[in-house]
Amino acid sequence: AEPAAPGGASPAGVPVQAAPGDAAPSPQQEFNEQIASALLAQDELELQMEAAQQLETVSRASSPAFAELEDARERFIAGLQSLAPEQDAAPLVQNFLPAVLPAIKLGIRFFGRGRLINLVSPLLAKLIAGMSGPESAPALSRAIVDAGLKLMNLEMDESEAGNLAAPALAATLEETITRIASLPDEVLDNEDLLEGYAVEAFEQAAAANLPAMLSQDTYRRRPELLEGGLNAGWVLLPLRGPKRYKRCTRSFRVALAPHIASEVESFEGATLAEHLQEQFGVEEGETVDAELHLFEALPGTTLADIAHGERATLGSGLTDEANVEQFHPLTPRAAGVLLGRPGLGRAFPAWRPWMPLPAGLRLYAANTGRRALLASDQSRRLRRMLRVSVVLDGVQDQVRLCVYVSEARAQRLALRLREAGIGGSVAALASGLQRSLARRLDVIFRGLAPARLRVIHAAMRPGTLASAALAQVPPAALQAFVARLQGSVVQAFAEFAKAQAQRIATAAADPADGMTLVFALERTPGLNLLCRALAGDATAAAGLAAAVASGGTPTTRVDVHAGLRCG
């Protein structure tokens, strides 16, 4: 994942957490993930969506922390909105903050939670005093409206528009306590240090949630008080009922030129350019105008939650399950390339598509006004994009790598084989596959696409997540293994395309959506040591690089199928 943008210097040189998120999964989430991994062995999208719906229901039902946070948030908002003049907000803050900690699941010592809340509640109450209450709240509500709220096309009456301050302050305090709870013990144990860090955490959270409330001179002297230099607010949505996510009051008109869209990475190593070409029919080399909308996940938020609330914004007429594919992670790099404001981005951790999003994760959707490409005339599902999955089978001494080729790519591939002649086109096709593989294998072997990597080995304990075990392998050795794997696959593809061009053309001509290339690599150098290293064998991890370097070329078999046939 990309490093989060720093939020400024801290009093003792230890940075306050730059963004919430990266929370450890709960035992229930881990159990759900293990069930999903078993269910999704065939990696079929329909199975994914069915599992996602089931696991979302289970997750909400079995995660009382999310429900308790929703209730506490609503009580805090109602309490702020009914706060009498001169009434202290400290009791409201003290009752609200304890519900945040279990939902964000940061590793703060349990016995220290009560003490932490007691210490920071009065301070945070003072910090929001100038923005809450019947005299001050209207000014914050007006600032949110002035910062672009009307452009969001939300249906609200004047009373609702006048009550935007309390939800915004709730979001600010949630992010503040998340940042504070991530501090090291030596800060949490020192009351003097903690106060300074708490003020800084509040300033960072306010910059990330609230519009400009201070003088222009203040922001010139302290530009970090406006996140990304943008005067905008983040509104808790939906307006009525339990809140599921935030949306930025500003949207952005951008020209997505090919050289820009190809530099912005989306999920699992795909690029924004690939998304536009494979799911919306944008031609290679074409520049499209788009309106970018920004969103942020609350604890327990799923992509389907945001898709359901933003049907009008996405404007595709698709189901919520299909619309989730229109969201992309707003990383610091994506925010910098697309918006020129890297500070608006958040680092993207490992995440499974069927699980709730990490709290604080930011996303964007690019509305181009183009009609989405559907898998068939009867389907409301978008065409699938290119994807890669890997099975490290230590039992059979075999690596199985599956490359699903999108319908758009499959047609281009078959056309180039026909028009350019076999010899002249294979090199270009192999080069394109190498680029696509490099991005996706990098993401997979950094543990950022857990659903795309499976390990079969006697030493692996049941339930062990391969993506998490990758941290036990020396990075240089892992890179050497991946480079050998990638080189073998690309070479095998070039030979297959040269000898079996007609089979590729037949698979591309089939009415099924896209096609699948399956590679089976026998006796891949270092495979057994890698599997043992992933199982926790330190000796195997130390010898991996040498085994990869001294090993021979694996024997590779290639097959092609119409449609999605990974498994």
Side-chain angles (χ1 to χ4, degrees):
E2 295 172 287
S10 298
V14 181
V16 173
Q17 181 183 349
D22 270 334
S26 68
Q28 180 64 49
Q29 283 180 310
E30 291 177 350
F31 179 68
N32 290 346
E33 291 165 4
Q34 292 167 17
I35 294 175
S37 295
L39 286 175
L40 302 178
Q42 297 302 312
D43 202 26
E44 180 61 63
L45 186 60
E46 286 76 8
L47 284 177
Q48 279 198 25
M49 297 316 303
E50 182 177 351
Q53 293 169 353
Q54 295 297 324
L55 288 176
E56 182 181 346
T57 301
V58 171
S59 179
R60 288 206 181 280
S62 60
S63 300
F66 296 150
E68 290 170 7
L69 175 57
E70 289 174 356
D71 292 342
R73 186 190 294 123
E74 293 302 312
R75 290 194 299 271
F76 177 74
I77 291 172
L80 276 187
Q81 289 173 340
S82 61
L83 202 66
E86 307 302 325
Q87 185 179 354
D88 188 4
L92 296 175
V93 176
Q94 192 161 11
N95 289 331
F96 174 46
L97 296 186
V100 180
L101 294 174
I104 59 177
K105 298 181 179 65
L106 286 176
I108 186 172
R109 295 165 302 170
F110 181 78
F111 66 86
R113 288 181 179 178
R115 173 178 167 274
L116 175 65
I117 298 302
N118 290 335
L119 284 173
V120 303
S121 292
L123 172 62
L124 296 182
K126 290 179 182 177
L127 291 173
I128 68 170
M131 295 177 281
S132 60
E135 297 180 354
S136 304
L140 175 55
S141 295
R142 284 195 300 272
I144 296 173
V145 172
D146 293 341
L149 180 74
K150 294 178 181 178
L151 300 176
M152 294 174 63
N153 296 321
L154 297 175
E155 295 183 3
M156 65 171 66
D157 55 35
E158 291 186 9
S159 63
E160 287 176 315
N163 286 328
L164 292 169
L169 292 175
T172 302
L173 290 187
E174 282 186 47
E175 186 160 337
T176 301
I177 197 64
T178 301
R179 293 173 181 270
I180 292 173
S182 71
L183 293 168
D185 288 349
E186 57 267 26
V187 175
L188 296 175
D189 288 337
N190 186 314
E191 293 187 16
D192 293 331
L193 273 181
L194 179 59
E195 181 172 341
Y197 275 92
V199 171
E200 181 184 352
F202 177 81
E203 289 179 344
Q204 294 173 353
N209 287 275
L210 305 179
M213 295 286 292
L214 306 175
S215 67
Q216 291 185 359
D217 183 62
T218 299
Y219 293 117
R220 277 195 297 269
R221 288 185 291 105
R222 298 195 59 194
E224 75 276 9
L225 295 180
L226 275 183
E227 188 182 49
L230 180 69
N231 179 16
W234 290 78
V235 179
L236 287 172
L237 295 173
L239 290 173
R240 304 163 193 87
K243 312 306 179 189
R244 294 285 184 251
Y245 62 97
K246 302 181 214 174
R247 180 176 164 191
C248 183
T249 57
R250 298 283 188 187
S251 61
F252 303 83
R253 298 294 305 182
V254 297
L256 298 177
H259 67 278
I260 292 176
S262 61
E263 289 295 321
V264 180
E265 191 171 293
S266 186
F267 296 112
E268 298 187 358
T271 65
L272 178 59
E274 292 171 339
H275 165 77
L276 295 172
Q277 292 167 15
E278 298 176 23
Q279 295 189 315
F280 285 87
V282 174
E283 297 292 333
E284 288 185 288
E286 181 182 359
T287 296
V288 292
D289 293 327
E291 185 173 16
L292 267 55
H293 304 277
L294 313 186
F295 308 91
E296 183 177 320
L298 295 175
T301 300
T302 65
L303 276 176
D305 289 330
I306 306 177
H308 181 75
E310 297 296 330
R311 287 179 174 178
T313 302
L314 299 174
S316 59
L318 301 175
T319 63
D320 294 343
E321 289 78 13
N323 274 333
V324 299
E325 298 185 57
Q326 298 199 57
F327 294 100
H328 311 276
L330 187 70
T331 62
R333 176 171 174 79
V337 172
L338 293 173
L339 309 175
R341 301 176 186 272
L344 291 180
R346 298 280 171 88
F348 192 86
W351 168 72
R352 294 150 183 80
W354 52 85
M355 299 305 297
L357 293 160
L361 179 70
R362 284 187 176 170
L363 306 137
Y364 70 93
N367 191 336
T368 63
R370 299 289 183 102
R371 184 178 179 84
L373 301 179
L374 304 182
S376 67
D377 292 339
Q378 292 76 35
S379 173
R380 297 182 69 192
R381 175 178 57 77
L382 270 67
R383 288 196 182 278
R384 299 181 183 92
M385 294 182 61
L386 186 145
R387 66 182 67 174
V388 175
S389 60
V390 180
V391 177
L392 304 177
D393 190 340
V395 175
Q396 297 188 48
D397 196 15
Q398 182 184 83
V399 177
R400 294 187 292 278
L401 187 142
C402 176
V403 180
Y404 170 77
V405 182
S406 69
E407 180 67 18
R409 283 176 180 258
Q411 296 304 321
R412 290 200 301 266
L413 191 157
L415 179 64
R416 287 171 181 172
L417 281 175
R418 288 195 305 269
E419 292 185 346
I422 300 299
S425 59
V426 165
L429 295 175
S431 177
L433 176 65
Q434 183 173 13
R435 289 192 298 272
S436 297
L437 271 182
R439 288 193 299 267
R440 287 161 175 82
L441 289 178
D442 176 65
V443 168
I444 290 171
F445 282 92
R446 282 193 290 130
L448 300 180
R452 304 300 178 203
L453 178 64
R454 294 175 59 206
V455 178
I456 302 172
H457 194 270
M460 290 288 287
R461 290 175 295 178
T464 300
L465 297 176
S467 58
L470 289 167
Q472 304 177 83
V473 184
L478 198 57
Q479 290 170 8
F481 179 85
V482 172
R484 174 64 68 90
L485 177 64
Q486 177 181 310
S488 298
V489 167
V490 172
Q491 180 179 347
F493 170 74
E495 294 172 355
F496 181 79
K498 195 170 184 177
Q500 302 287 340
Q502 185 54 49
R503 291 187 60 192
I504 293 175
T506 300
D510 191 281
D513 185 24
M515 68 181 185
T516 302
L517 293 165
V518 180
F519 301 83
L521 295 83
E522 309 285 351
R523 297 179 297 280
T524 303
L527 174 59
N528 188 266
L529 287 179
L530 175 57
C531 290
R532 286 167 49 195
L534 293 173
D537 186 335
T539 302
L544 177 58
V548 172
S550 62
T553 302
T555 302
T556 306
R557 292 181 286 107
V558 187
D559 205 354
V560 62
H561 307 277
L564 177 60
R565 293 282 297 276
C566 291

